[in-house]
């Protein structure tokens, strides 16, 4: 992988988007790790632009350490950017559904970790939902709109359909003509298209 990235990185102005589980399997837990990680990121990504969001494994460590880390763009737990005239929403799917795992212990740990990091699960859920609604409305005139999240909504992989995440997001996809939802988590490559 590093050799492939080195070949790609010889081109200028490459943009990377990391879809969560950035530090697998236990996230990162201390600031000392950031210095070591920064050097590795510079070597691998050659100072190209990186946007990132959090995954469930990132919550196994201290996810706050990844916010505003010096080697990428992640200004908050969820955020919006216009990149090359494309509206890009980077959402935190763990906040919308901490239970998207076939491991019951991981669900319990993630739910309590979200409460620990954000102090109140229901409050941060509503804050993110209101932010998403407002941001989509404010930017509805953009021709191209993408939403990035860690958990898939519908998958041909082991997670299949995430009913909770689907019910939260699908109305916005239709209302605001979202071009695509791009996710990680499933450890495979899929392109799924819904019939309208």
């Amino acid at each position: 992988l590093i050799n492939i990235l080195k070949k790609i990185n010889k081109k200028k102005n490459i943009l990377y988007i990391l879809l969560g589980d950035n530090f697998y399997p236990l996230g990162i837990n201390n600031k000392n790790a950031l210095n070591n990680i920064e050097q590795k990121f510079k070597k691998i990504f050659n100072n190209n632009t990186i946007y990132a969001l959090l995954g469930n494994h990132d919550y196994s460590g201290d996810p706050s350490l990844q916010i505003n880390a010096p080697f990428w763009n992640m200004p908050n737990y969820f955020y919006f950017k216009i990149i090359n005239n494309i509206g890009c929403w980077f959402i935190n799917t763990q906040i919308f559904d901490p239970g998207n795992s076939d491991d019951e212990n991981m669900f319990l740990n993630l739910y309590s970790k979200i409460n620990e990091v954000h102090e109140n699960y229901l409050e941060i859920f509503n804050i993110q939902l209101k932010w998403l609604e407002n941001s989509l409305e404010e930017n509805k005139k953009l021709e191209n709109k993408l939403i990035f999240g860690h958990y898939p909504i519908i998958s041909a992989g082991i997670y299949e359909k995430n009913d909770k995440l689907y019910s939260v997001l699908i109305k916005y996809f239709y209302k605001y003509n979202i071009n695509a939802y791009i996710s990680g988590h499933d450890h495979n490559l899929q392109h799924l298209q819904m019939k309208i």
Side-chain angles (χ1 to χ4, degrees):
L1 177 62
I2 290 174
N3 288 333
I4 291 169
L5 285 171
K6 283 180 182 176
K7 287 179 184 176
I8 291 171
N9 285 333
K10 287 182 180 176
K11 298 177 182 178
K12 293 185 178 178
N13 300 319
I14 301 291
L15 173 71
Y16 294 96
I17 296 177
L18 304 183
L19 297 170
D21 288 353
N22 305 310
F23 303 102
Y24 198 88
L26 300 174
I28 54 173
N29 284 304
N30 61 65
K31 290 186 178 183
N32 292 334
L34 288 178
N35 294 331
N36 187 28
I37 291 166
E38 184 173 8
Q39 296 307 313
K40 288 180 180 177
F41 265 65
K42 284 181 180 177
K43 192 174 190 177
I44 294 170
F45 294 102
N46 195 28
N47 292 319
N48 283 299
T49 302
I50 304 169
Y51 290 91
L53 52 82
L54 296 168
N56 54 309
H57 285 270
D58 296 310
Y59 273 89
S60 296
D62 181 354
S64 69
L65 293 172
Q66 296 188 45
I67 306 301
N68 287 316
F71 39 81
W72 59 27
N73 297 285
M74 192 193 318
N76 208 330
Y77 291 91
F78 43 90
Y79 61 100
F80 169 74
K81 294 283 182 187
I82 295 178
I83 303 170
N84 298 329
N85 296 316
I86 300 170
C88 298
W89 286 263
F90 297 84
I91 65 171
N92 189 319
T93 55
Q94 295 69 238
I95 290 172
F96 282 145
D97 182 14
N100 186 254
S101 173
D102 52 359
D103 181 346
E104 189 64 26
N105 289 329
M106 181 171 226
F107 160 67
L108 293 172
N109 291 338
L110 182 57
Y111 185 81
S112 60
K113 187 69 177 204
I114 287 171
N115 267 320
E116 177 188 320
V117 171
H118 302 289
E119 296 182 4
N120 183 311
Y121 170 71
L122 188 56
E123 183 179 0
I124 193 66
F125 179 100
N126 288 324
I127 288 170
Q128 180 176 217
L129 188 60
K130 193 69 176 165
W131 162 83
L132 182 61
E133 288 173 349
N134 291 341
S135 184
L136 286 167
E137 183 64 30
E138 288 169 10
N139 296 284
K140 65 184 177 185
K141 292 185 179 176
L142 286 171
E143 185 176 346
N144 295 302
K145 297 180 274 294
L146 303 173
I147 296 180
F148 298 91
H150 180 63
Y151 291 150
I153 293 173
I154 299 172
S155 172
I158 61 170
Y159 295 104
E160 299 177 342
K161 184 179 178 189
N162 183 325
D163 289 321
K164 185 172 182 182
L165 195 56
Y166 184 95
S167 67
V168 169
L169 295 177
I170 195 66
K171 60 188 171 200
Y172 300 116
F173 293 179
Y174 288 115
K175 182 176 180 180
Y176 294 103
N177 297 313
I178 304 301
N179 299 93
Y181 174 72
I182 302 169
S183 64
H185 191 57
D186 236 339
H187 295 235
N188 59 34
L189 183 62
Q190 305 172 37
H191 176 247
L192 304 175
Q193 192 165 358
M194 294 179 62
K195 291 184 179 180
I196 299 176

